[in-house]
Amino acid sequence: MPVNPPSQNIGAPIPNNTDHAVSVTLPTWEATVGYEEGKDWVVQKMNSGYPRFFIHNDIQQLAKLVEGSYGRDDERCMIFPTYNIAKRCRAFIKEKAAALNPPVKAVVRILQLSSPPPANAEETSTKVEANLAFVFFHSKLFPIAKQYWQHSGEGISSRLAEYFLSEMKDKLAAEMNSKRDSASTASSSSHSPRPSRSSRSSRSSINISRSNIKQESATFIEERFGRNLDLRFAKDAKKILLQRLASEYDHSYSDSENVYLYPSGMAAIFNAHRAILGFNDEKDSNTLKSVCFGFPYVDTLNILRKWGAGVHFYGFGDDESLDDLELRLESGERILSLFCEFPSNPLLKTPDIIRIKKLSDKFGFSVVVDDTVGNSSNVNVIPYCDIVVSSLTKIFSGDSNVMAGCLVLNKKGKNYDKLKEFMNDDYEDFFWDQDAIYLERNSRDFEERSKKMNENAEQVLKLFQESPLIEKIFYPSVTSPASKAHYDQVKREHGGYGALLSVVFKDEMDAICFYNTVQLSKGPSLGTNFTLVCPYSILAHYNELDEVAKWGVDPNLVRLSIGMEKTEDLLKTLKEALDAAQEQHEI
């Protein structure tokens, strides 16, 4: 049976018909370029997107209601799940606004709102008190606020926005209408006829009714498939997740009190950096740079650049780069930390973390390893670092319908006591209850799914190795002999090489034809249970293609996250696209 072709409509969620989808369809190379260039024919169709880059419609709707109810002239707002996060956003906006040319003195204020708590024991299955913090700022400063949202990964989840709307929409709409009525009454210059109160109320009721229908539909689907979201189970779901994650890492470290849940993988990375800045003394935090070792996912580098004293970027992440870093350290320069991916995305290079660990012990810097791509079922990195961070949005969930991340402390690490003290004082659980319930359910068969993806990826690798169209393949077992050796040092006994691989086509037109032809899901993210393809360089680095090419990220690179499809069906689908590219190449 062939692979069922997914939607090829621009802006369609991936998976199809999923309100809280993590990925979005960009079905052609041209659509991806159009998206990056902000072309209307693409952007106007984007009803969903990767959540840190595309603010979900429910979040946008909630923001507009709150802006209409409590905003001042030309104000917009960003929404966060705690007051402390809102304060961090406020500080970021003020700092970056002051650095503009000319500098801007930003007026930023925070409003806190709460939904009603359960009124009785019966309501505890469907209600929970949700507390949100709204950061208000002048609309001209929105791009700066959006940077914080994107880089930190600490914004509210779409499910939290949906829930808050279901509880507070009537109240917020009434307050917004009351504010408009008051403003209209106070204005002597306006003589335009206004709709009657009954007319306005009717319109508001229609919108609320549609929202209720949507909520009832989602509830029906959950109940139909035995997936009731009983909020009383949220605490148990989080406890199970913590224990599951602890057991995923080496058993000698499997203490769930050293595992912390976050609403995104990037929030875990951001808070790992905050923890290291926080436990070091103020002088070191303000003067010592961090190291980003290897070409990383874009926002990891952004975090290290924009918070703290800056970053040394070793984009190749190879043994020669490590030689250079060692010389720098031997000469007397100190660094605060080293962040690396294991292996890297999208080049699938693996750093020598055993050597990095030795340098860390000798020179005293902290090491943070992001094992999202390798994942804990394949590799055991925690003995060689102070902190492991991982995006649970990816293979751990697999269903591409919930965002999450984790931070794990190495209790045998040299900085454990200081890190643990910081986390005890600073950590807030702002992982939304409904997201926890989804993630717990999705992750129950994580190891089995990972194994199947490994097996499929090995077969896909062979297919591309046989194609004359391919110039270079990046995969942990073939990227380079040194890279493979570093991976193998920490590969688990029954682990594989993961589900992610990247290919570089010799000719741009072949890459475009392959991508446009292949009948698979096409969009951002990775680690999905289904195969997901994207022209990574175009999607992640369109405005800096020449710069990233210096680090080996080719413009013609196509990244494939291999899923759990029947192997022969997946290979047939990929071969058809390769054959189409071969045919057009020969014309």
Side-chain angles (χ1 to χ4, degrees), residues 451-464 475 497-501 560-563 567 570-571:
K451 183 178 179 182
K452 174 61 177 175
M453 292 176 188
N454 290 344
E455 293 168 354
N456 271 351
E458 292 284 355
Q459 296 304 311
V460 172
L461 172 66
K462 292 177 183 177
L463 176 68
F464 281 106
Y475 188 65
Y497 291 98
L500 196 68
L501 73 151
L560 300 96
S561 177
I562 305 304
T567 307
L570 177 59
L571 294 175

Side-chain angles (χ1 to χ4, degrees), residues 89-108 137-138 140-142 144-145 147:
C89 179
R90 178 174 63 187
F92 181 82
I93 293 171
K94 288 188 172 186
E95 177 191 344
K96 300 307 177 186
L100 294 174
N101 187 16
V104 174
K105 186 176 181 181
V107 176
V108 187
F137 45 83
H138 193 280
K140 290 181 179 178
L141 298 175
F142 182 82
I144 295 177
Q147 286 181 40

